[in-house]
């Protein structure tokens, strides 16, 4: 057997590969020239492969589900069968461990990114300028935040010793006071006038009701006397 047992999965861009992962056998989902995911099998390396077909089928389904790829059960059986044909039932199996290639690099140096950005922008650091050349700006990562002097903030107004206030309040002019008082006076005058009008109307109503009562009493008295 060769170092690789691999089968193309029809209708997809993936291949199905048999290999090892640590102390166990494993299956891999391969795209292009690289394995993108793996599933460790419950079979120790060098032991019997009696359960390999079932383990490989379960591993293939798991890998396809993880990539949200769905194919016919008939195709799954065919792929597993083709893979099993490449693995001898008897004798020792020689396979090399497969490395999963990550989609992106796991670590990136910040200074490298800054230097790449500076290079793309055509910037130069102070050290790259000749003595006769006047630099426009310094873009070296090691100098960022070290040579830039901050502006001194303006001091806040001092607290007034007399009033105890941090900030002086704008003075209100005598004219403003007069206008405010006049407006208040007008409002109160209107309210008083309205109350007086209401009282006058009530007085008229009371007087009218008293006259009606007097008239009713008189009429009642006359009726009483005529009925005797």
């Amino acid at each position: 057997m060769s170092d690789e047992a691999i089968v193309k999965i029809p209708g997809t861009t993936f291949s199905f590969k048999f290999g090892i992962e640590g102390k166990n056998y494993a299956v891999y989902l391969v795209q292009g020239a690289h394995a993108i995911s793996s599933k460790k099998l419950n079979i120790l390396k060098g032991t019997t492969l009696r359960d390999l077909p079932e383990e490989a089928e379960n591993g293939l389904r798991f890998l396809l589900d993880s990539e949200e790829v769905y194919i016919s059960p008939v195709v799954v059986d065919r792929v597993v069968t083709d893979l099993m044909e490449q693995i001898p039932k008897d004798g020792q199996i020689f396979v090399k461990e497969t490395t999963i290639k990550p989609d992106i690099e796991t670590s990136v140096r910040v200074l490298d990114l800054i230097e790449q950005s500076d290079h793309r922008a055509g910037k130069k650091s102070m050290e790259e300028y000749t003595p006769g050349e006047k630099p426009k700006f310094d873009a070296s990562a090691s100098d960022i935040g070290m040579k830039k002097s901050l502006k001194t903030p303006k001091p806040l107004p001092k607290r007034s010793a007399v009033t105890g206030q941090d900030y002086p309040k704008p003075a209100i002019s005598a004219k403003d006071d007069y206008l405010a008082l006049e407006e208040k006076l007008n409002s109160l005058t209107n309210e008083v006038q309205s109350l007086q009008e209401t009282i006058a109307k009530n007085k008229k109503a009371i007087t009218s009701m008293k006259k009606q009562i007097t008239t009713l009493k008189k009429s009642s008295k006359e009726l009483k006397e005529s009925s005797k």
Side-chain angles (χ1 to χ4, degrees), residues 57 61 70-80:
E57 181 177 345
R61 294 183 185 279
Y70 306 100
I71 60 176
S72 169
V74 176
V75 177
V76 172
D77 292 341
R78 181 61 183 170
V79 171
V80 174

Side-chain angles (χ1 to χ4, degrees), residues 44-102:
L44 289 174
K45 182 173 58 177
T47 60
T48 177
L49 299 178
R50 180 182 65 250
D51 298 329
L52 182 57
E54 182 180 356
E55 286 281 323
E57 181 177 345
N58 292 336
L60 176 57
R61 294 183 185 279
F62 172 84
L63 295 173
L64 291 175
D65 288 343
S66 66
E67 296 294 327
E68 298 184 354
V69 176
Y70 306 100
I71 60 176
S72 169
V74 176
V75 177
V76 172
D77 292 341
R78 181 61 183 170
V79 171
V80 174
T81 300
D82 291 346
L83 186 69
M84 293 301 102
E85 290 178 353
Q86 299 183 38
I87 302 174
K89 296 179 181 180
D90 300 322
Q92 190 173 5
I93 301 175
F94 297 96
V95 289
K96 58 184 179 181
E97 189 164 2
T98 303
T99 303
I100 304 296
K101 183 179 180 182

Side-chain angles (χ1 to χ4, degrees), residues 1 15 21 26 32 44 72 75 93 101 104 108 141 144 166-168 174 184 190 195-196 205 209 226:
M1 175 187 173
S15 296
E21 186 174 326
L44 289 174
S72 169
V75 177
I93 301 175
K101 183 179 180 182
I104 59 174
V108 180
I144 291 178
D166 291 327
Y167 303 99
K184 184 69 174 178
N190 292 335
L195 289 173
Q196 288 176 342
M209 290 177 67
S226 63

Side-chain angles (χ1 to χ4, degrees), residues 6-18:
I6 187 168
V7 177
K8 179 73 174 65
I9 303 176
T12 71
T13 60
F14 301 104
S15 296
F16 187 48
K17 182 180 176 181
F18 178 76

Side-chain angles (χ1 to χ4, degrees), residues 17-212:
K17 182 180 176 181
F18 178 76
I20 59 173
E21 186 174 326
K23 296 181 179 180
N24 293 61
Y25 289 115
V27 287
Y28 298 85
L29 199 62
V30 179
Q31 191 170 41
H34 303 286
I36 60 173
S37 59
S38 68
K39 179 68 170 71
K40 184 184 294 187
L41 305 181
N42 295 320
I43 304 175
L44 289 174
K45 182 173 58 177
T47 60
T48 177
L49 299 178
R50 180 182 65 250
D51 298 329
L52 182 57
E54 182 180 356
E55 286 281 323
E57 181 177 345
N58 292 336
L60 176 57
R61 294 183 185 279
F62 172 84
L63 295 173
L64 291 175
D65 288 343
S66 66
E67 296 294 327
E68 298 184 354
V69 176
Y70 306 100
I71 60 176
S72 169
V74 176
V75 177
V76 172
D77 292 341
R78 181 61 183 170
V79 171
V80 174
T81 300
D82 291 346
L83 186 69
M84 293 301 102
E85 290 178 353
Q86 299 183 38
I87 302 174
K89 296 179 181 180
D90 300 322
Q92 190 173 5
I93 301 175
F94 297 96
V95 289
K96 58 184 179 181
E97 189 164 2
T98 303
T99 303
I100 304 296
K101 183 179 180 182
D103 294 335
I104 59 174
E105 298 199 10
T106 55
S107 63
V108 180
R109 292 182 66 240
V110 175
L111 292 181
D112 290 342
L113 290 178
I114 295 175
E115 290 175 1
Q116 292 174 10
S117 176
D118 291 349
H119 177 70
R120 287 194 299 269
K123 297 178 181 179
K124 295 182 180 180
S125 66
M126 290 290 290
E127 291 78 8
E128 292 173 335
Y129 279 93
T130 60
E133 187 179 4
K134 184 179 179 181
K136 294 181 179 179
F137 48 80
D138 180 15
S140 60
S142 60
D143 292 336
I144 291 178
M146 299 177 63
K147 295 184 179 180
K148 180 68 174 177
S149 60
L150 300 176
K151 293 182 178 179
T152 304
K154 296 177 65 176
L156 294 174
K158 293 183 179 180
R159 182 183 294 272
S160 172
V162 178
T163 62
Q165 296 177 349
D166 291 327
Y167 303 99
K169 293 184 178 179
I172 300 177
S173 65
K175 183 177 180 181
D176 293 336
D177 288 341
Y178 171 76
L179 292 175
L181 289 174
E182 186 177 21
E183 183 178 355
K184 184 69 174 178
L185 178 62
N186 291 336
S187 176
L188 291 174
T189 302
N190 292 335
E191 290 182 10
V192 170
Q193 184 177 356
S194 177
L195 289 173
Q196 288 176 342
E197 291 177 355
T198 302
I199 292 172
K201 289 180 181 179
N202 290 336
K203 284 184 177 180
K204 290 181 180 179
I206 292 172
T207 302
S208 176
M209 290 177 67
K210 284 182 177 180
K211 289 181 179 180
Q212 291 180 17

